Amino acid sequence: EGIFGQKPRASFLHEFVTIYLANQRLGTAHTKTRAEISGGGKKPWRQKHTGRARAGSIRSPLWRHGGSTFGPHPRDFSYRLPQAIRRKALLESLKGKLHDRELVVIDQLTAEAPKTKPFAGFAKAFQITRRSVIVLDQPSEALVKSLRNLATFELCHAANLNAHDVLNAHKVFVTKAAFGRLEARV
């Protein structure tokens, strides 16, 4: 009640999601400048007495097939957010899911054999039609194989869960062991 009792604050969430999405950008867009386009080494006509505007290269940005003036070049968009704010964003996202009744704590989730059918019934029981996240403490290989064919479920380790994963999920299912680890994180 002390941690999850208050209403969620959106400021930490906005800051975290903005940085998370910026860090996902590749920054590989590139346009050629006049120096990078082949050709244009010779002056097309002499400077004076032709009646035409002066020109130094056929690859000028003013010309057709010329280079770009201020086009994009590869760069790094990523930047770091302090760990305390990342933790607060995770806490606020979990509080929001709890407030909206979209956080479900499960005693445990196991699979004896890698079968998808029982977990399809699990999805029907909770009326899941959109993407949901299952947070586990130690996922078994059989459980991973059982859930990977279902498009509505995404498996996540409690140590790797972040606010963006929680916000993008329709429902968040957490085992008791994983919930204990999440409480220790936040």
Side-chain angles (χ1 to χ4, degrees):
E1 185 65 31
I3 298 174
F4 292 101
Q6 301 96 12
K7 284 186 74 175
R9 293 178 293 177
S11 60
F12 290 115
L13 296 175
H14 177 266
E15 193 171 359
F16 178 83
V17 170
T18 304
I19 289 175
Y20 183 85
L21 294 176
N23 291 346
Q24 300 303 308
R25 291 181 71 176
L26 295 177
T28 56
H30 177 72
T31 55
K32 292 184 178 183
T33 63
R34 62 186 291 167
E36 295 167 328
I37 296 178
S38 63
K42 178 179 163 239
K43 190 170 171 65
W45 51 78
R46 58 190 208 152
Q47 183 82 352
K48 292 179 169 288
H49 308 296
T50 59
R52 303 188 69 178
R54 51 195 175 184
S57 171
I58 63 168
R59 299 303 179 211
S60 166
L62 306 176
W63 286 39
R64 182 167 169 267
H65 301 299
S68 293
T69 311
F70 296 112
H73 293 288
R75 68 188 184 108
D76 186 15
F77 286 94
S78 66
Y79 51 104
R80 287 186 52 78
L81 190 64
Q83 190 173 14
I85 294 178
R86 280 184 272 159
R87 285 180 179 162
K88 283 187 179 182
L90 177 61
L91 175 65
E92 297 300 322
S93 64
L94 289 172
K95 282 197 302 191
K97 288 293 177 187
L98 188 66
H99 189 263
D100 295 340
R101 300 191 187 283
E102 294 175 352
L103 180 70
V104 180
V105 179
I106 304 170
D107 188 32
Q108 66 179 12
L109 198 61
T110 56
E112 290 78 31
K115 298 279 185 189
T116 305
K117 193 172 185 178
F119 293 102
F122 179 77
K124 269 189 188 170
F126 283 100
Q127 299 169 349
I128 297 168
T129 55
R130 291 185 278 163
R131 181 182 167 274
S132 296
V133 173
I134 297 177
V135 185
L136 299 170
D137 189 34
Q138 291 294 336
S140 66
E141 188 177 339
L143 188 61
V144 171
K145 286 181 179 180
S146 299
L147 288 170
R148 69 182 175 191
N149 285 338
L150 294 173
T152 53
F153 287 120
E154 183 178 315
L155 220 60
C156 188
H157 197 277
N160 299 333
L161 186 69
N162 62 47
H164 187 262
D165 293 338
V166 174
L167 291 173
N168 271 352
H170 174 62
K171 286 197 179 197
V172 179
F173 297 94
V174 185
T175 61
K176 280 189 178 180
F179 194 74
R181 184 172 277 202
L182 285 175
E183 279 186 317
R185 272 183 66 190
V186 296

